[in-house]
Amino acid sequence: MVQKMANQSKKAILMLLYEHQDQFLSGQRISELLGCSRTAVWKQIKALIDDGFQIQSVQKKGYKLLSSPEGLNEAAVKAGLRTKKLGQMIYFFDKIGSTQKEALRIADEGAPDGTLVLTNEQTQGRGRLGHTWQSQRGTNIAMSLILRPDLPIDKTPQLTLLTAVAATETIEKVTGLSCGIKWPNDILYKGKKLVGILTELQAESTYVKAVVIGIGINVNTEPEAIQETINQVASSLHAITGEHYALAPFIQSFLVLFEKLYEQYLERGFSAIRPLWERRAINLGKQIKVRQPGGRILEGVARGINDDGVLLLEKGDGSITRVYSADIEWEP
Amino acid sequence: MVQKMANQSKKAILMLLYEHQDQFLSGQRISELLGCSRTAVWKQIKALIDDGFQIQSVQKKGYKLLSSPEGLNEAAVKAGLRTKKLGQMIYFFDKIGSTQKEALRIADEGAPDGTLVLTNEQTQGRGRLGHTWQSQRGTNIAMSLILRPDLPIDKTPQLTLLTAVAATETIEKVTGLSCGIKWPNDILYKGKKLVGILTELQAESTYVKAVVIGIGINVNTEPEAIQETINQVASSLHAITGEHYALAPFIQSFLVLFEKLYEQYLERGFSAIRPLWERRAINLGKQIKVRQPGGRILEGVARGINDDGVLLLEKGDGSITRVYSADIEWEP
């Protein structure tokens, strides 16, 4: 109990330091803001230094955060986050099997709309249709977002497409790279995968209880550490640009962009998202092979998506088949 | 490990005794069928007697099951169950918080199509839209069925209606009582609730991973033990007929009837189920009040269901509203 309170004040102090980055914040001010003693503040500052944070301490001026240990922490994401709901509640794990599995579990327990499950290291990441998703300690983004939209269940797959738009816009804003979307849920740069998205639904008959969106982004993986999979060549933003990107501001940008798109979507429907998605889509008009969950393979030309976000595949005989869920293969 | 194997052979012996009810089965024959020693057979027979089973043992003839302790056990449901998939895999719990919660968990872990989660006593039963569902030890049926149908997600709510048909048909077959269905998921006899159904969906974007159907049936509750709820007067089959019903054959009948309807549904679609449902529906043509999950109340006349299983409500101005999910109140 005492330990939990101490952890709470450590997190709160760290958030204050993040919010006042590049300035000194006095121990007196911190103790006033948090309603704890100056001794308690000093104890937690020491604990943060033990955790790997570099904090400058100057007599009569106070404390200043100089740098953070590699990887993510909850306070860094929360400090100054300008969203209404998304990420306002964060479940942070230094290490976890799968953020998606944990998010599904806490969604079922009643976690509020906009809750974010976040980790520094994911050991058993879940990919779409049973694929796995790797994420190395402290280098990449692995997170799951819990949404509770008032939508008919058949509309919820559109949120995968919305997420893909939010992720490409975030990457463009942070790195300047313009990525493409491979229907339904991969984001590629020059044919190499940078982002994977997994949308899962919990519904009670016709009533949507929660949509849980898992997002994995290859941010800072070194080129030599990138894992090749059978179907898909992968890369990382760092491998492409040579830069290192701070993960917390990256996530904040994503949450802000996602929330804006999500509000437009809830207000105006998928028509607000579809043109943004189609502008980024890289397999429209191309000959593709589609491997469906049962193993059946369809071939044809990807003609577009309909208002439900379903892929329209034109087969050799000119007929159009609607593809609900599948892996796509095609010749670039 | 040894304990687990012993439990496995105990279950197997009990199944053999159920399958040969009213006959003697020799220890020699049991040991041959299960590939274990006659001493091991005797040890497990003794353990079954300790569990409350009455087993007659006669020199040179063998063992005969005379009676079972009150309530359910896995072997009683499995023995002689004439289904292809439903209930062929059973997770039985003598006591559990919620079969539905457990079924959702094991469905997520990969439990096969048709798996049944069953209990003798449910302490925190889940009802629809956050309602609770009570079930007393050994007297009623509380179970959850895991299905993995190849369906678009927006069709899955139809399985609630199919389940309601299967439950009314089972009750009619076992007890002779003809019950009515209150849209979407309650089964009533003369206005009193006998069965509650809760359908939950796990989907990955457009791909249905599992549908978990929770079914609670008030079978043998004594009239004085029936719990009244605010919205709904309840009863039990026993309170209506005065009879006691063996739970295991009841569940077997349900699984057989459900599987038959389910096969017809997967083959021919909801049109195979809709007339059976409408024949039992008790609120069609009636003035009803509908309380939606957000709290909004709609009033009108229930005109029917459409091919998606959605309720069509005719409002005062003659317009038709589609009701996806709600509690219904109406004057009988």
Side-chain angles (χ1 to χ4, degrees):
Chain A
M1 190 58 193
V2 171
Q3 186 52 40
K4 204 177 161 192
M5 279 179 63
N7 274 331
Q8 288 298 334
S9 45
K10 188 164 93 173
K11 245 193 277 181
I13 290 170
L14 185 56
M15 265 191 67
L16 285 174
L17 292 174
Y18 272 114
E19 282 167 2
H20 296 80
Q21 217 152 1
D22 310 318
Q23 326 165 13
F24 280 96
L25 193 64
S26 73
Q28 180 62 34
R29 184 91 185 98
I30 297 175
S31 78
E32 281 165 17
L33 286 168
L34 302 184
C36 61
S37 71
R38 290 189 57 173
T39 319
V41 171
W42 165 238
K43 228 172 123 185
Q44 295 311 325
I45 292 277
K46 225 172 136 278
L48 286 168
I49 291 167
D50 288 345
D51 288 349
F53 292 88
Q54 281 198 318
I55 298 169
Q56 194 181 2
S57 167
V58 173
Q59 281 276 342
K60 299 201 177 158
K61 288 174 112 179
Y63 306 106
K64 184 162 92 167
L65 181 62
L66 299 179
S67 77
S68 307
E70 203 180 28
L72 279 166
N73 66 76
E74 181 182 337
V77 176
K78 265 195 171 168
L81 175 63
R82 280 188 300 277
T83 57
K84 288 174 205 154
K85 278 188 177 174
L86 297 198
Q88 290 299 327
M89 171 75 95
I90 295 180
Y91 285 74
F92 179 77
F93 298 88
D94 193 51
K95 183 174 179 169
I96 198 171
S98 155
T99 59
Q100 191 73 358
K101 197 167 167 179
E102 178 63 14
L104 286 164
R105 195 187 68 75
I106 65 171
D108 194 53
E109 302 281 332
D113 189 23
T115 298
L116 183 70
V117 178
L118 191 61
T119 190
N120 236 342
E121 183 178 4
Q122 185 168 245
T123 57
Q124 297 178 295
R126 283 159 79 128
R128 208 171 57 97
L129 304 177
H131 298 314
T132 57
W133 177 264
Q134 300 299 326
S135 165
Q136 287 176 298
R137 180 163 188 80
T139 56
N140 295 321
I141 293 171
M143 60 187 180
S144 295
L145 198 51
I146 298 171
L147 300 177
R148 301 196 180 275
D150 183 12
L151 285 177
I153 49 175
D154 57 321
K155 300 293 180 204
T156 55
Q158 297 173 344
L159 292 170
T160 305
L161 309 181
L162 185 154
T163 307
V165 172
T168 53
E169 290 193 355
T170 307
I171 289 171
E172 187 154 326
K173 187 172 170 230
V174 175
T175 69
L177 295 176
S178 179
C179 293
I181 301 169
K182 177 180 156 198
W183 183 91
N185 70 333
D186 287 345
I187 290 173
L188 311 184
Y189 183 78
K190 295 193 177 164
K192 293 181 177 178
K193 180 164 169 175
L194 291 173
V195 179
I197 298 162
L198 174 66
T199 308
E200 295 187 78
L201 171 66
Q202 290 176 334
E204 202 180 291
S205 194
T206 53
Y207 173 59
V208 171
K209 293 203 300 183
V211 176
V212 177
I213 304 175
I215 304 126
I217 309 178
N218 287 340
V219 181
N220 292 321
T221 313
E222 296 293 335
E224 60 275 17
I226 291 168
Q227 297 187 0
E228 304 285 320
T229 59
I230 301 164
N231 297 316
Q232 184 69 63
V233 181
S235 188
S236 76
L237 294 169
H238 168 66
I240 296 165
T241 66
E243 303 281 327
H244 269 96
Y245 301 97
L247 298 179
F250 200 117
I251 292 170
Q252 291 186 333
S253 291
F254 174 80
L255 293 173
V256 168
L257 280 164
F258 188 104
E259 189 166 89
K260 197 190 71 185
L261 290 166
Y262 185 53
E263 284 177 350
Q264 290 171 357
Y265 169 74
L266 291 180
E267 208 171 289
R268 293 164 42 207
F270 190 62
S271 63
I273 305 303
R274 190 175 162 171
L276 301 172
W277 190 90
E278 286 181 335
R279 198 163 63 81
R280 303 277 190 180
I282 51 180
N283 38 15
L284 296 189
K286 300 238 172 81
Q287 180 75 25
I288 61 171
K289 266 194 205 174
V290 162
R291 187 189 305 277
Q292 294 191 300
R296 203 157 64 104
I297 288 179
L298 298 174
E299 288 188 56
V301 176
R303 280 296 172 214
I305 52 171
N306 69 11
D307 272 339
D308 291 337
V310 171
L311 183 72
L312 304 172
L313 186 74
E314 184 182 323
K315 289 190 293 187
D317 61 4
S319 70
I320 297 280
T321 297
R322 298 196 291 172
V323 180
Y324 286 90
S325 189
D327 280 344
I328 285 188
E329 296 165 17
W330 85 108
E331 302 302 317
Chain B
M1 188 62 189
V2 171
Q3 186 52 41
K4 203 178 162 191
M5 280 179 62
N7 274 332
Q8 288 298 332
S9 44
K10 186 165 94 173
K11 246 195 273 178
I13 290 170
L14 185 55
M15 265 190 70
L16 286 174
L17 291 174
Y18 272 114
E19 282 167 1
H20 297 79
Q21 218 154 1
D22 310 317
Q23 325 163 15
F24 279 97
L25 194 63
S26 73
Q28 180 62 33
R29 184 89 185 99
I30 297 175
S31 78
E32 280 165 21
L33 286 167
L34 302 183
C36 62
S37 70
R38 291 190 54 176
T39 319
V41 172
W42 165 238
K43 229 172 123 183
Q44 295 310 324
I45 292 276
K46 226 172 133 279
L48 285 168
I49 291 168
D50 288 346
D51 289 348
F53 292 89
Q54 281 198 318
I55 298 169
Q56 195 181 2
S57 166
V58 174
Q59 282 277 341
K60 299 202 175 156
K61 289 173 110 178
Y63 305 106
K64 184 162 94 169
L65 181 62
L66 299 179
S67 77
S68 307
E70 205 181 26
L72 279 166
N73 66 76
E74 181 182 338
V77 176
K78 265 196 171 167
L81 176 63
R82 282 188 299 276
T83 57
K84 287 173 207 155
K85 278 189 177 172
L86 297 197
Q88 291 299 326
M89 172 74 95
I90 294 180
Y91 285 75
F92 179 78
F93 298 87
D94 193 51
K95 183 174 178 171
I96 198 171
S98 156
T99 59
Q100 191 72 1
K101 196 167 170 181
E102 178 64 13
L104 287 164
R105 194 186 69 74
I106 65 171
D108 194 54
E109 302 282 331
D113 190 23
T115 297
L116 183 69
V117 178
L118 191 61
T119 190
N120 236 342
E121 184 179 3
Q122 185 168 244
T123 57
Q124 295 178 297
R126 283 158 78 128
R128 207 171 57 97
L129 305 177
H131 298 314
T132 56
W133 178 263
Q134 300 300 325
S135 166
Q136 288 175 299
R137 179 163 189 79
T139 57
N140 295 321
I141 294 171
M143 59 187 181
S144 294
L145 198 51
I146 298 171
L147 301 177
R148 301 196 180 275
D150 182 13
L151 284 177
I153 48 175
D154 57 321
K155 299 293 180 204
T156 56
Q158 297 172 344
L159 292 170
T160 304
L161 309 182
L162 185 154
T163 307
V165 172
T168 53
E169 290 193 355
T170 307
I171 289 171
E172 187 154 328
K173 188 173 169 232
V174 175
T175 69
L177 295 175
S178 178
C179 293
I181 302 170
K182 178 182 155 194
W183 184 90
N185 70 333
D186 287 346
I187 289 173
L188 312 184
Y189 182 78
K190 295 193 175 163
K192 293 180 177 178
K193 180 164 169 174
L194 291 173
V195 179
I197 298 162
L198 174 66
T199 309
E200 295 187 80
L201 171 66
Q202 291 175 333
E204 203 180 289
S205 194
T206 52
Y207 173 59
V208 172
K209 294 202 301 182
V211 176
V212 177
I213 304 174
I215 304 128
I217 309 179
N218 286 340
V219 182
N220 292 320
T221 313
E222 296 293 336
E224 60 274 16
I226 290 167
Q227 297 187 1
E228 304 285 319
T229 58
I230 300 164
N231 296 317
Q232 183 70 62
V233 181
S235 189
S236 76
L237 294 169
H238 168 67
I240 296 165
T241 66
E243 304 281 327
H244 269 96
Y245 301 98
L247 299 179
F250 200 117
I251 292 169
Q252 291 186 333
S253 291
F254 174 80
L255 293 173
V256 169
L257 281 163
F258 188 105
E259 189 166 271
K260 197 190 72 185
L261 290 166
Y262 185 53
E263 285 177 351
Q264 291 171 357
Y265 169 74
L266 291 180
E267 207 172 288
R268 294 163 41 207
F270 190 62
S271 63
I273 306 304
R274 187 174 164 173
L276 301 173
W277 190 89
E278 286 181 334
R279 198 164 63 82
R280 303 278 191 180
I282 51 180
N283 37 16
L284 297 188
K286 299 238 172 80
Q287 179 75 27
I288 62 171
K289 267 193 204 175
V290 162
R291 187 189 305 277
Q292 294 191 300
R296 203 158 63 105
I297 288 178
L298 298 174
E299 287 188 57
V301 176
R303 281 296 172 213
I305 51 172
N306 68 11
D307 273 339
D308 291 337
V310 171
L311 184 72
L312 304 172
L313 187 74
E314 184 183 323
K315 289 190 291 187
D317 61 5
S319 68
I320 298 280
T321 297
R322 297 195 291 172
V323 181
Y324 287 89
S325 189
D327 280 345
I328 285 187
E329 297 164 17
W330 84 108
E331 302 302 316

